[in-house]
Amino acid sequence: MLIAWAMTSGSGGGTRDDGKSGGSGPARSIDPGPSSSGPAISQQPGGRDESGGSAGSGGSDGGTGASSGGANDGASSEGASSDGASTGGADTAGSGAGGGGTAGRQVPAGSPLPECEPAAVRLSLRTKVSYGPDDKPKFELIAKNTSSTTCKADFGPKNAVLTVTEAGGEDDDPIWSSKDCPAAAGPLFLKVPAGATVIHTVDWNRTLSAPGCATPPAGKAGPGTYLLEAKAPGEPVQRASFVLAKD
């Protein structure tokens, strides 16, 4: 029995010593952990440098935005440029040609309206730039009354004379003139209200003419460029050009 007690007592003491040297020791015995964690914290974070790079990238985006704005401005300018063509500059030709105006109303030669003074009326000429092979050219005489008095203007074929000449031809003689052989040789008075603009339109069927209703050359005007001219007493000569297209 004494031997058994001694063995048990010695074994229990050993167990208690192991416990003391194990988990219940002072805090100074705790390992501070891997040394690599210290250097990792001491380094400057690379993310901030990348943010700086992102800011630079953002600046690049800003530059792209500015370029896009420039492109839009260019488009606007082009649109403004598209809006300039739509005013008729590309579709009509003439000296002093402008928009507006209405068809003139004919009045009798004996109308009490006074005849327009040349200084009071500004005459201009207008036609399309090009006509297709089946188109009948139209010539517009435009009169603007700059005075405060309504008057009548003579647009007759012998007073407001229209002529067509072939550009680059062998001579400068017109191939057609409104005064050569008019259907009605008398005056054609149109009422021109004060401050208003009236338009007189003459159609040309491309036939040729000769002075005094003489027999004109056979055929019609062919494809090419032609010069149009209008003359009226007291008014400067008005000119325009147009093309008769092949097809």
Side-chain angles (χ1 to χ4, degrees):
M1 292 177 64
L2 291 173
I3 293 171
W5 176 85
M7 291 178 66
T8 304
S9 174
S11 175
T15 301
R16 284 193 297 272
D17 291 340
D18 291 341
K20 289 180 181 178
S21 62
S24 61
R28 68 176 180 272
S29 65
I30 300 176
D31 192 321
S35 60
S36 60
S37 62
I41 297 175
S42 66
Q43 293 178 355
Q44 184 178 2
R48 294 181 183 176
D49 291 339
E50 291 176 1
S51 295
S54 296
S57 174
S60 174
D61 290 342
T64 302
S67 296
S68 297
N72 289 338
D73 291 343
S76 297
S77 177
E78 184 180 353
S81 178
S82 163
D83 292 341
S86 65
T87 60
D91 296 330
T92 60
S95 52
T102 58
R105 183 171 67 85
Q106 186 174 356
V107 295
S111 167
L113 286 174
E115 291 194 31
C116 298
E117 297 291 337
V121 176
R122 291 191 308 189
L123 191 67
S124 58
L125 180 64
R126 184 169 61 193
T127 187
K128 287 179 61 176
V129 170
S130 180
Y131 293 93
D134 298 324
D135 295 338
K136 181 184 292 186
K138 293 181 180 294
F139 309 141
E140 292 181 339
L141 280 168
I142 305 167
K144 181 176 182 179
N145 187 353
T146 61
S147 73
S148 57
T149 302
T150 298
C151 57
K152 60 185 178 184
D154 184 6
F155 286 88
K158 289 190 175 182
N159 189 70
V161 180
L162 291 170
T163 59
V164 175
T165 305
E166 187 176 4
E170 296 180 357
D171 53 50
D172 295 331
D173 292 336
I175 62 171
W176 175 85
S177 175
S178 63
K179 70 176 182 179
D180 280 349
C181 191
L188 175 63
F189 284 105
L190 300 181
K191 179 180 179 180
V192 188
T197 300
V198 298
I199 301 173
H200 175 58
T201 302
V202 176
D203 294 335
W204 179 45
N205 60 6
R206 306 194 186 204
T207 57
L208 310 183
S209 68
C213 290
T215 303
K220 293 186 176 183
T225 301
Y226 294 85
L227 304 178
L228 174 65
E229 192 173 83
K231 293 180 181 179
E235 295 283 346
V237 176
Q238 306 296 318
R239 295 182 176 89
S241 64
F242 61 94
V243 173
L244 297 182
K246 292 182 180 180
D247 49 33

